[in-house]
Amino acid sequence: MRFVVKRLLLGLVLIVSASVALLLSDLGRRTAVARSMPHIGLLQHASTMLLDEGTRGAIDGLAEKGFVDGKTIVINKFNAQGDISVGSSIAKEMVNSRYDLLLTMSTLSLQAVANANRNGKIVQVFGLVADPVVAGVGISRSDPLDHPRNLVGIGSFLPVQDAFRIAREMFPDLKRVGVAWNPAEANSRAFVEKARGVCQGWGIQLLEANVENSNSVLEAEDSLVARGAEALWIGGDVTVSVAADSVVLVGRRAHIPVFSITPGKPDRGTLFDYGADFYQIGKQTGELASRILRGADPTQIPVTNEIPIHFIVNTTALKDLRQQWRIPDDILRRANVVVDEAGIHNQTTAGQNKQPAAGPK
């Protein structure tokens, strides 16, 4: 009897041992597969339509090059929800994690991760950045290849001068434009400095009001109206863009138009938006990231400036304006999207969608 029991116990031990060996072997294979799949950490500064579109474009750009999230790559997405300190904390965690590449969408996210990644542990690819040079992360304006060895990306300096030119075409007597902006945003400072030069050359007074967060935008815009603004301009400022509805509200109450270089929902109430197609910029950023993942040397890739133009004109915003703004026919023909009483109309315009990539001077 004891002999039979011992035989049974020995058989059970052998079965259990074999099962454990098989499980460990399978786990090893799964772990090897999981580790062979690239992992990307993606940081987005805030939830705005433009940043969301850019992030979607980056993920699509990766997918078109064979890096499909959940199948051939793992993308962990993070959002600072507009809080700079939160973004810095997330950036530190991302750098300390075992990512194969870090992807940042916006100037503030570029700065947060670059500062946390100063020792160059991980390659960082950036997009949706107005002026990478003023971000203060070691990128040269004179030499596109002069950048940190682990940092490369795409700049997109939005067309400030062209936006003001369009405003003057719609209202030649324009003399005072108001803008609220956050001095903590390097990209916003670059746009405002560009606008100052443009306005000075054209005899326009640029009225400015500083904001620290989106909650203070409404009050700042009201102050600009009180100082005599004839139009309100939304520059490439994330803080203000989050509160774009507040800017439009102030404009409606004062019967003055709002225009921007950050296209949002076509029917949000701005008279026109002349800026970049953030989805396409994001897509180009994703394609660049795929090159790095396939072994391209970041030090041999220049930092470029790309501006695929997106132009929205809203004719319904002319209603009840206190001054004689008008939309010339040639502007309507140039627009990608036109909004009128009948709805939103997408247009295909020859030669409209690209602009020479000229950064800030």
Side-chain angles (χ1 to χ4, degrees):
M1 184 68 179
R2 287 182 179 179
F3 178 75
V4 174
V5 171
K6 286 182 178 180
R7 292 286 299 271
L8 289 172
L9 287 175
L10 179 59
L12 287 171
V13 169
L14 291 173
I15 291 171
V16 170
S17 299
S19 298
V20 170
L22 287 170
L23 285 170
L24 289 175
S25 175
D26 183 58
L27 178 60
R29 284 195 298 271
R30 293 188 181 202
T31 302
V33 170
R35 288 182 179 175
S36 68
M37 187 182 296
H39 283 59
I40 287 182
L42 186 156
L43 178 59
Q44 176 180 335
H45 179 66
S47 295
T48 68
M49 178 179 172
L50 295 181
L51 294 182
D52 289 345
E53 282 292 286
T55 297
R56 184 171 68 86
I59 293 171
D60 287 352
L62 281 163
E64 286 191 7
K65 297 300 181 180
F67 295 101
V68 181
D69 188 20
K71 294 183 179 179
T72 56
I73 196 171
V74 175
I75 303 176
N76 294 133
K77 296 180 282 291
F78 302 92
N79 193 317
Q81 299 299 335
D83 191 309
I84 293 176
S85 61
V86 171
S88 297
S89 297
I90 293 173
K92 291 175 184 176
E93 291 297 323
M94 290 171 65
V95 170
N96 290 329
S97 299
R98 296 175 60 186
Y99 287 112
D100 298 285
L101 184 141
L102 299 175
L103 191 57
T104 53
M105 311 302 287
S106 81
T107 300
L108 291 170
S109 295
L110 159 64
Q111 292 171 316
V113 173
N115 288 331
N117 192 34
R118 286 186 181 278
N119 62 2
K121 290 170 62 176
I122 310 173
V123 175
Q124 177 184 351
V125 176
F126 63 84
L128 309 188
V129 172
D131 188 352
V133 176
V134 302
V137 294
I139 296 171
S140 169
R141 193 179 304 284
S142 59
D143 183 359
L145 285 171
D146 185 3
H147 55 77
R149 61 182 176 79
N150 66 303
L151 180 64
V152 70
I154 297 172
S156 301
F157 197 86
L158 301 177
V160 175
Q161 181 169 327
D162 289 339
F164 275 84
R165 181 181 291 114
I166 292 168
R168 284 291 293 269
E169 288 181 49
M170 292 185 177
F171 184 53
D173 293 330
L174 181 63
K175 297 297 182 185
R176 292 180 299 278
V177 175
V179 58
W181 63 287
N182 185 351
E185 295 188 30
N187 56 312
S188 186
R189 181 178 296 279
F191 290 135
V192 171
E193 289 177 351
K194 179 69 174 180
R196 288 171 184 163
V198 171
C199 289
Q200 183 177 12
W202 291 347
I204 298 174
Q205 183 181 4
L206 187 66
L207 306 173
E208 301 176 31
N210 292 152
V211 297
E212 294 183 355
N213 54 58
S214 298
N215 294 329
S216 58
V217 171
L218 183 66
E219 182 179 354
E221 299 290 350
D222 276 330
S223 74
L224 294 169
V225 170
R227 292 161 58 191
E230 298 171 316
L232 298 174
W233 173 53
I234 301 176
D237 188 292
V238 176
T239 304
V240 176
S241 294
V242 170
D245 288 345
S246 296
V247 184
V248 172
L249 175 62
V250 172
R252 282 178 179 158
R253 292 193 309 212
H255 302 287
I256 62 175
V258 177
F259 67 98
S260 88
I261 54 173
T262 52
K265 291 179 60 179
D267 57 354
R268 65 178 176 172
T270 49
L271 178 59
F272 72 88
D273 306 283
Y274 190 84
D277 186 329
F278 276 55
Y279 174 81
Q280 290 300 327
I281 295 173
K283 196 170 181 181
Q284 292 171 6
T285 305
E287 291 168 354
L288 175 56
S290 73
R291 290 173 59 191
I292 302 295
L293 290 170
R294 293 194 186 281
D297 183 357
T299 66
Q300 300 304 308
I301 299 175
V303 172
T304 59
N305 192 67
E306 304 291 340
I307 318 169
I309 292 296
H310 191 54
F311 187 16
I312 302 172
V313 176
N314 185 349
T315 64
T316 67
L318 289 172
K319 186 178 180 181
D320 295 330
L321 295 182
R322 69 187 189 200
Q323 293 172 306
Q324 295 300 310
W325 289 70
R326 56 180 292 274
I327 303 175
D329 289 341
D330 67 307
I331 287 181
L332 288 175
R333 287 192 293 269
R334 288 160 51 197
N336 300 99
V337 180
V338 173
V339 181
D340 58 23
E341 297 293 346
I344 300 172
H345 312 280
N346 292 302
Q347 302 187 145
T348 301
T349 52
Q352 167 62 31
N353 294 327
K354 290 186 178 180
Q355 173 173 304
K361 303 296 184 184

